[in-house]
Each structure stands twice: as C-alpha cells, then as structure tokens.
Amino acid sequence: KAGVTQTPRYLIKTRGQQVTLSCSPISGHRSVSWYQQTPGQGLQFLFEYFSETQRNKGNFPGRFSGRQFSNSRSEMNVSTLELGDSALYLCASSDGTARGIDTQYFGPGTRLTVL
Amino acid sequence: KQEVTQIPAALSVPEGENLVLNCSFTDSAIYNLQWFRQDPGKGLTSLLLIQSSQREQTSGRLNASLDKSSGRSTLYIAASQPGDSATYLCAVTEYGNKLVFGAGTILRVKS
C-alpha cells in the first residue's frame, strides 16, 4: 500500500497570507490527524477528522481549520499567517474505528516558512 | 493535563552497545503508548505500539515496556548500529486518536 502523502512538501509565505496543506491517507484509512512540530513546542495536536467530521481538536486558535473529503483526503488551512506558524506540519492516518489502539502512520510533512 | 517526559535528551554511544531510552507520563488514563523514530527533516516512523493492557512489545532489536501504574515506558535497543541514529519520540494516546508527545531523545551511534 502507498503511504501517507502530503503536498506541498515545502511552502514559503508572508505574514497575513493564508495557506492550504493537503494530506492523502493510506487507502482504507478513515482517520486523519494533523500535528504541528516546532523546535520550541515540539509536536502538538491540531485536530482529527474521521468520516468527514472533526472528532477532536487541540488548543490552537481559530485561524487553524481543516476539513475532510468523502475519499478521506484532508486539507488544513491557516489564515492570517504569523511568523510563529513556521513549522513542520505532519498528518497521520489510521483506521480510526478501534479508537486508541490502532497505529498511526505519518506522512513526510509540509515545511511551512512564514516571512 | 498530560505531560510526557523523555530522558535523556541526547545520547551518544559506540556501535554495538545496548541502550535504554526512558519515557514517563503524568496521567495513566491512556489507550496506548507508541514509540516513533524521526530522521532529520522527515516524518515519523512508528516503531512499536503497546496497548494499555500490555506490558511489552518486541520488534527485532527493539523492545518496549510499559508500566501504566507508574507512568513509565522504556525502549531498549540491542546491538546499536549507526543506522539507528535518529530522534526517538514517545507518545501516549489519549481519548480518540490524540497523541501527546515527549520532546524526544536524540540518539547518535558512532561507528
């Protein structure tokens, strides 16, 4: 099976712009989670989508939003970018039906730089 | 609020040595604990998943243990190799699929 894919791999934006990141999960997986990784804060949970519904959300401002499509692909949007949004954004996919006991598989990430 | 701590923050060992990485968590109400590996600038690779009802899991040269009551897990790597050099991350799964990560241990295996 193909792994988790994320596009684009690298992105450079300026403050105030908005950005959309995409994640395609492993075939058959219905759960997609998003994480932000920074040197200062480490890996932090953004949100999880399952069958097109947001099932869980972390402590991030409303500028961070997401959605999931019927084919389980997910997008994450960040509006009004700030310098502190520069990070590696990782998505993870899993079966999602056996909550908490199935392995999560991560994509290679999207490196976002905000200037 | 769940907090996950990993010790040591960094480790440098000669090739062939056996080593132990430590992970502790503050809230024992977890579904499972996972160990991941991350190479520089890359995504995470799942190494081992231990369900909350299990005590340990093994995969090749890796063995992970879990003591939920004391909030501790260890990852044992046998006969380390230079290719094992990476950052190792411990994460607990809370409600749903939310992972709470430690800061990681940076491992360098010298040839």
Side-chain angles (χ1 to χ4, degrees), chain A residues 23-99:
Chain A
C23 172
S24 293
I26 291 171
S27 178
H29 284 184
R30 289 191 284 165
S31 169
V32 174
S33 300
W34 288 89
Y35 292 83
Q36 181 196 66
Q37 185 175 31
T38 59
Q41 299 297 317
L43 275 151
Q44 293 185 286
F45 174 78
L46 281 154
F47 29 65
E48 180 208 7
Y49 285 87
F50 179 80
S51 292
E52 302 179 66
T53 300
Q54 188 180 84
R55 195 161 67 168
N56 203 354
K57 188 177 187 305
N59 295 323
F60 278 82
R63 300 185 296 108
F64 292 82
S65 63
R67 59 178 175 168
Q68 187 179 34
F69 302 96
S70 58
N71 62 357
S72 293
R73 188 177 70 86
S74 177
E75 289 183 346
M76 190 192 92
N77 184 274
V78 188
S79 62
T80 319
L81 283 166
E82 300 177 359
L83 295 178
D85 297 333
S86 295
L88 180 66
Y89 289 88
L90 295 162
C91 86
S93 90
S94 67
D95 176 80
T97 55
R99 293 181 75 176

Side-chain angles (χ1 to χ4, degrees), chain B residues 17-28:
Chain B
E17 192 161 297
N18 302 324
L19 56 99
V20 174
L21 308 182
N22 296 290
C23 172
S24 62
F25 48 96
T26 55
D27 188 345
S28 62

Side-chain angles (χ1 to χ4, degrees), chain B residues 12-67:
Chain B
S12 182
V13 300
E15 181 177 5
E17 192 161 297
N18 302 324
L19 56 99
V20 174
L21 308 182
N22 296 290
C23 172
S24 62
F25 48 96
T26 55
D27 188 345
S28 62
I30 63 170
Y31 286 106
N32 62 45
L33 184 144
Q34 288 186 249
W35 283 93
F36 293 90
R37 167 189 172 136
Q38 185 174 33
D39 293 288
K42 302 290 180 63
L44 277 61
T45 300
S46 178
L47 298 172
L48 289 165
L49 180 150
I50 312 175
Q51 295 180 33
S52 61
S53 58
Q54 297 176 323
R55 297 284 293 184
E56 66 177 325
Q57 280 287 340
T58 298
S59 176
R61 295 182 293 109
L62 305 179
N63 175 276
S65 68
L66 173 64
D67 184 341

Side-chain angles (χ1 to χ4, degrees), chain B residues 86-107:
Chain B
T87 297
Y88 289 79
L89 293 152
C90 159
V92 297
T93 303
E94 296 194 317
Y95 54 89
N97 268 341
K98 177 185 175 182
L99 293 171
V100 179
F101 285 88
T105 293
I106 301 171
L107 173 65

